[in-house]
Amino acid sequence: RYDASVQGLDLKTTYELTEALELVKKTATAKFVETVDVAIKLGVDPRHGDQMVRGTCNLPHGTGKVRKVAVFAKGEKATEAEAAGADTVGADDLIAKIQGGWRDFDVLLATPDMMAQIGKALGRTLGPRMPSPRAGTVSNDIAKVVRDIKTASRAEYRVEKAGIIHAPIGKVNFTTEQLTENFLVLLNALIKARPSAAKGRY
């Protein structure tokens, strides 16, 4: 499949954005609707905490991906999260459920008042899946965050150890214009997220 899809492509050529996206759409041959991912080299050293680039941005045309959302919240905030479309909402009961091995979620959110309790009970268990203000997964406006994720408008990015960001910008059945607009919004978010400690070309 790979050999067939790259026939007619010059692998040494750098393509302009629009042309590259059209080629991505043309060479998508899987039996499902493929996600279009971008890989962007940032020129940072994420081994240094002050050069970590991590966050989220809302893409104007969404990512096309539907994800299961679990929320740690109590009282009124729990009601808001449920009304916004969260798949699972809880507090002590949700902590116990996860301690028991339950993992049927793609994204884990929390209200700030729950964080001390979650950290104490699940910090080691959840690891990188732990809700975090930096990742935009801890918020008092929990309903908005749930809606952003459930409507698949939110793209998350986190620099990996090689200094590269991987993020989705839509599906191959999006128009080239929609993919372009999503890409430019992501790119602007990354430019704004530039760490002050970043050296050289970012």
Side-chain angles (χ1 to χ4, degrees):
R1 255 187 71 214
Y2 172 80
D3 287 342
S5 67
V6 297
Q7 273 186 2
L9 293 183
D10 182 349
L11 300 182
K12 293 179 181 175
T13 296
T14 302
Y15 291 95
E16 290 296 326
L17 178 60
T18 302
E19 192 179 0
L21 289 171
E22 284 171 356
L23 285 169
V24 166
K25 286 165 63 64
K26 186 176 161 187
T27 55
T29 56
K31 291 176 181 175
F32 55 89
V33 181
E34 296 170 59
T35 298
V36 180
D37 280 312
V38 293
I40 302 173
K41 190 173 181 181
L42 295 184
V44 296
D45 186 350
R47 289 175 300 176
H48 301 289
D50 57 1
Q51 292 191 45
M52 173 57 71
V53 178
R54 182 182 183 185
T56 61
C57 69
N58 285 343
L59 303 179
H61 303 289
T63 63
K65 185 176 182 181
V66 179
R67 295 187 291 175
K68 287 185 181 176
V69 177
V71 180
F72 290 108
K74 293 177 180 174
E76 194 180 311
K77 293 294 179 187
T79 307
E80 287 175 15
E82 284 174 357
D87 298 277
T88 307
V89 181
D92 297 340
D93 55 331
L94 184 53
I95 289 174
K97 203 171 173 180
I98 291 173
Q99 284 174 327
W102 181 80
R103 296 289 185 279
D104 189 19
F105 58 85
D106 298 309
V107 186
L108 200 51
L109 308 176
T111 52
D113 60 311
M114 290 291 301
M115 285 308 293
Q117 191 179 347
I118 300 165
K120 191 176 179 183
L122 297 173
R124 288 187 177 179
T125 307
L126 289 172
R129 299 185 81 178
M130 182 83 175
S132 142
R134 196 168 185 177
T137 48
V138 176
S139 173
N140 255 324
D141 193 356
I142 202 73
K144 181 182 184 303
V145 180
V146 170
R147 279 193 297 271
D148 286 347
I149 293 169
K150 291 301 288 182
T151 56
S153 67
R154 172 179 282 215
E156 297 169 17
Y157 53 84
R158 179 177 180 163
V159 68
E160 61 171 42
K161 61 184 178 182
I164 297 169
I165 283 282
H166 296 276
I169 58 165
K171 297 278 188 181
V172 290
N173 59 357
F174 284 24
T175 66
T176 303
E177 291 74 22
Q178 288 173 322
L179 290 169
T180 299
E181 285 178 30
N182 277 355
F183 174 75
L184 294 175
V185 167
L186 172 67
L187 199 61
N188 282 329
L190 291 175
I191 290 166
K192 286 178 185 171
R194 174 182 178 152
S196 54
K199 297 183 178 105
R201 186 178 178 188
Y202 176 78

